[in-house]
Amino acid sequence: MRGIRIVLIAAIALGAAGMAGAAGPMVLTSDGDLYSADTRNHQVVLTARYADGTVSELFVPQSAAAVEDTLQVGVDEITGAVYVMWQKWTGMDARLRMAGYLDGTWIGPRTFAGGDGTAAYNPEMLIHRSVTRIVEETDPDVEPVVSEFSTTFLHIVWWSQVSEDDPGLATYAAVELNTNGMPQWKDMQPIELYDLLPWGVGCFEFEAGDNLRHPKLFVDPQSAKPHVFATDLANCHFQ
């Protein structure tokens, strides 16, 4: 990696238009159910406050040593599955874990980044349903045939480091959810975000702070496509 000299911002469009559910430590569904996560007695707790006024609390299995300010909750409104993501430990031991609550049963948790000699931290996720419509016109006097194909993805970004001296870089991955809401982890292919299309040039001599190591996910209001917003500390230009 080259020396740190700049803040590089990357915004990348991902996938086709569709509907999205932003994640954070709490999320509100279209039905009015509120899900939130916090830590108690060194364990992650998922709290569901349903629209009918009932409240339930669930301890996430194997969630010890979670860093509380990294907790993320997301809901797939098609299947009703709830996902909880967190960072375990800090420093070069940091790794990312995710558990899902499907039909009253916990799946996972699974460590999907870090724990292999590298550090992974500052995670964020976004659930997005990509919809593609194909219109087939066979006869001008007949209504066209419209076919619709849709897939739901867990979009995830985080910061990766290979050593304490490495400034690190943002990493992105998309995990497909099957029709039951089960993440297809075996197909996940992380992408390191650097050397993307430049937006401009702006070099400054400074020490990069931790605030620059927080990649973000958002949905563009015009295109309805998810985007990732991150910094590249290895190059001297905006992208």
Side-chain angles (χ1 to χ4, degrees):
M1 304 283 291
R2 284 174 281 187
I4 300 173
R5 295 200 301 156
I6 147 137
V7 184
L8 166 62
I9 299 177
I12 310 164
L14 309 166
M19 62 182 186
M26 63 176 61
V27 62
L28 180 66
T29 71
S30 59
D31 292 330
D33 300 327
L34 178 67
Y35 295 89
S36 61
D38 62 85
T39 58
R40 298 179 210 167
N41 299 320
H42 308 292
Q43 294 284 325
V44 177
V45 179
L46 175 67
T47 301
R49 294 177 172 83
Y50 299 107
D52 63 6
T54 59
V55 178
S56 66
E57 293 184 343
L58 298 166
F59 279 84
V60 180
Q62 303 176 46
S63 58
V67 179
E68 184 162 12
D69 63 4
T70 67
L71 292 174
Q72 297 269 304
V73 180
V75 177
D76 174 16
E77 298 207 27
I78 300 299
T79 63
V82 183
Y83 308 91
V84 183
M85 180 174 66
W86 66 93
Q87 174 187 322
K88 181 177 182 178
W89 295 323
T90 58
M92 288 304 299
D93 292 324
R95 60 202 63 190
L96 304 180
R97 288 167 68 75
M98 183 180 291
Y101 192 67
L102 286 68
D103 295 326
T105 302
W106 283 107
I107 57 169
R110 181 188 183 97
T111 298
F112 64 88
D116 57 355
T118 66
Y121 55 96
N122 297 341
E124 188 163 299
M125 71 172 170
L126 183 148
I127 297 174
H128 180 262
R129 188 168 181 81
S130 176
V131 179
T132 301
R133 294 179 178 86
I134 299 176
V135 179
E136 298 180 43
E137 297 183 358
T138 57
D139 190 319
D141 298 324
V142 178
E143 285 291 321
V145 177
V146 180
S147 301
E148 184 173 290
F149 305 91
S150 58
T151 307
T152 303
F153 291 94
L154 276 170
H155 296 279
I156 310 171
V157 290
W158 65 92
W159 198 261
S160 300
Q161 277 184 279
V162 298
S163 70
E164 292 183 352
D165 297 328
D166 173 28
L169 48 74
T171 305
Y172 162 80
V175 181
E176 181 182 347
L177 302 178
N178 69 12
T179 55
N180 297 317
M182 187 73 71
Q184 304 302 290
W185 292 108
K186 62 181 177 61
D187 298 325
M188 187 183 87
Q189 296 182 345
I191 300 171
E192 296 179 342
L193 304 181
Y194 64 96
D195 287 340
L196 302 175
L197 182 64
W199 278 4
V201 177
C203 295
F204 306 94
E205 295 289 346
F206 66 92
E207 183 67 27
D210 186 60
N211 288 338
L212 302 179
R213 299 183 172 97
H214 285 262
K216 300 294 181 182
L217 287 162
F218 66 96
V219 175
D220 174 53
Q222 293 185 330
S223 67
K225 295 179 181 178
H227 288 59
V228 58
F229 185 80
T231 55
D232 182 337
L233 301 178
N235 297 286
C236 192
H237 57 270
F238 293 100
Q239 66 178 7

